[in-house]
Amino acid sequence: MFPPDLIDEVLAECGRVEVRHRLLPARVVVYYVLGLALFSTSSYEEVMRMLVAGHSWASGWSREWSVPTKAALFQARKRLGCEPLRALFDKAVVPLTDPQVAGGFYRSWRLMSVDGLCLDAADTEANVERFGRPASSRGGGRGGAFPQVRVLGLAECGSHAIIDAAVGSYRQGEQTLAEQVLRSLLPGMLLLADRGFFSYRLWDKARGTGADLLWRIKSNAVLPVEKRYNDGSFASHVYPGTKARRNRTDGIAVRVVEYTLQPGQIDPDASERTYRLMTTITDPNAAPASELARIYTQRWEIETAFAELKTHQRSPGLVLRSKMPDGVIQEVYGYLCVHYAIRWLMHSAATDYGHDPDRLSFTGSLRAARRTTASHPGFSP
């Protein structure tokens, strides 16, 4: 996924090209940051050993080379900064799913989902100042145990590939960060989102990309029934505020789908629950209400992608290593790059044999990536 030529291109664009020879040149440090995201439970020095182990056995160069110290690796990461990893993610990551992949499309629309997660960062003054802590009633009002970085992701439902992301502080809301990933929406996509994302501003910006939207909306949202369709959905408008609604100005035409899940349909212990969806697809013949209700369940695929990254790839309970904010952001983009690479591998392997990528094990693919990285010829520092 990340060949040397691409990394060199990114380094040149970010102004990180070497002016003198170093023990840890910038290209190697990029691969090293990716290695930290792949071998999340290993020490700084051990990650470097595993990255170069295969090559050392193949060529014997290791007799003249020793693993850099933790301090040297820290300084190399500091020199690199976060911009090259962010640029590498932006350049390398593209949608994977094609219409033949199960669960990737609804009719002609590519299914996409947006959501956020929080990652614990090292408890340092710099990280607290930059990212903030979640509130907590314990610790004398000090807040949560760790500062947290908020990551907002845009993912393909069919492949679980996170194709765009925004990284911010815990204090930044998901709606604010979501505006940064709208750049990756295209006509022919159908974006699914939970009820916490709706605002008139974000809805208007998202539909302006040409993509269609299917978002859950809060039950108390004012959506008058203007026309009832045969499939049970109805036409309505959303407005930027009460005055605009009263004057019927700046309204956006939408279609609303309401349906009820009976007890036991999802969770045996759950009570009856009513869902309310709002979509830009105003023609009920193009997307009947019953089909949209079924399709909305695909929104949870991004939760699976986040669980892969946060629980399996990073390992549960682990805190990000970096003690400085720039290193935290660098590390997050390293995790995103590696998650995408594993998902790319799974998608390629599955589609080559006509299978659904969802049927492959992420943890099995992760173990395979770790094994081959540590055992096959890699690169010489």
Side-chain angles (χ1 to χ4, degrees), residues 153-221:
L154 175 68
E156 276 191 312
C157 296
S159 67
H160 293 184
I162 300 170
I163 67 162
D164 203 350
V167 180
S169 71
Y170 181 80
R171 295 179 289 264
Q172 289 180 281
E174 291 183 342
Q175 286 187 14
T176 302
L177 291 175
E179 293 188 17
Q180 298 181 38
V181 303
L182 297 183
R183 61 180 182 170
S184 295
L185 290 181
L186 298 170
M189 291 180 172
L190 178 60
L191 178 64
L192 315 178
D194 203 1
R195 56 188 172 183
F197 280 92
F198 176 77
S199 70
Y200 178 91
R201 171 189 168 91
L202 186 59
W203 180 271
D204 193 31
K205 283 195 167 189
R207 78 185 183 100
T209 65
D212 281 297
L213 314 177
L214 179 63
W215 295 7
R216 187 180 175 191
I217 194 164
K218 294 179 180 178
S219 59
N220 61 355

Side-chain angles (χ1 to χ4, degrees), residues 8-20 26:
D8 289 345
E9 180 184 339
V10 165
L11 291 171
E13 290 179 0
C14 296
R16 298 300 194 277
V17 177
E18 245 67 30
V19 294
R20 65 185 179 89

Side-chain angles (χ1 to χ4, degrees), residues 156-378:
E156 276 191 312
C157 296
S159 67
H160 293 184
I162 300 170
I163 67 162
D164 203 350
V167 180
S169 71
Y170 181 80
R171 295 179 289 264
Q172 289 180 281
E174 291 183 342
Q175 286 187 14
T176 302
L177 291 175
E179 293 188 17
Q180 298 181 38
V181 303
L182 297 183
R183 61 180 182 170
S184 295
L185 290 181
L186 298 170
M189 291 180 172
L190 178 60
L191 178 64
L192 315 178
D194 203 1
R195 56 188 172 183
F197 280 92
F198 176 77
S199 70
Y200 178 91
R201 171 189 168 91
L202 186 59
W203 180 271
D204 193 31
K205 283 195 167 189
R207 78 185 183 100
T209 65
D212 281 297
L213 314 177
L214 179 63
W215 295 7
R216 187 180 175 191
I217 194 164
K218 294 179 180 178
S219 59
N220 61 355
V222 179
L223 290 167
V225 179
E226 297 174 1
K227 179 182 179 180
R228 180 71 69 173
Y229 297 111
N230 292 334
D231 67 349
S233 63
F234 63 87
S236 189
H237 280 78
V238 290
Y239 297 91
T242 303
K243 184 178 179 180
R245 184 183 302 110
R246 186 168 53 247
N247 297 331
R248 294 182 178 272
T249 57
D250 299 321
I252 299 174
V254 297
R255 183 163 141 251
V256 181
V257 176
E258 293 179 325
Y259 60 99
T260 300
L261 294 180
Q262 300 300 325
Q265 278 189 273
I266 294 181
D267 184 343
D269 300 323
S271 57
E272 183 176 282
R273 185 181 302 174
T274 298
Y275 279 72
R276 193 186 225 193
L277 307 180
M278 192 167 75
T279 181
T280 55
I281 308 172
T282 54
D283 181 3
N285 294 317
S290 59
E291 293 183 7
L292 291 180
R294 286 195 297 272
I295 284 300
Y296 183 72
T297 61
Q298 293 291 316
R299 191 202 76 79
W300 297 102
E301 298 297 334
I302 193 172
E303 301 284 354
T304 302
F306 285 158
E308 293 166 355
L309 188 151
K310 189 173 182 177
T311 303
H312 302 297
Q313 183 184 338
R314 190 190 60 146
S315 297
L318 277 190
V319 177
L320 295 174
R321 306 170 190 253
S322 305
K323 294 179 171 56
M324 300 299 292
D326 199 52
V328 170
I329 297 172
Q330 179 194 79
E331 199 173 343
V332 169
Y333 277 103
Y335 271 100
L336 290 167
C337 284
V338 171
H339 180 271
Y340 179 83
I342 294 170
R343 271 289 158 189
W344 173 86
L345 175 66
M346 295 171 67
H347 179 270
S348 300
T351 53
D352 282 351
Y353 290 90
H355 297 305
D356 181 355
D358 281 356
R359 303 280 72 83
L360 298 185
S361 165
F362 180 84
T363 54
S365 303
L366 176 63
R367 292 190 192 104
R370 286 171 173 165
R371 283 196 308 271
T372 54
T373 300
S375 62
H376 287 59

Side-chain angles (χ1 to χ4, degrees), residues 61-98:
W61 59 261
S62 62
R63 289 188 293 272
E64 301 175 0
W65 180 85
S66 59
V67 175
T69 65
K70 183 176 179 180
L73 292 167
F74 169 79
Q75 289 299 327
R77 286 188 58 201
K78 186 177 180 180
R79 285 194 306 271
L80 182 70
C82 63
E83 291 82 4
L85 270 298
R86 182 189 288 122
L88 181 63
F89 179 76
D90 290 343
K91 276 184 174 291
V93 171
V94 295
L96 298 175
T97 306
D98 56 55

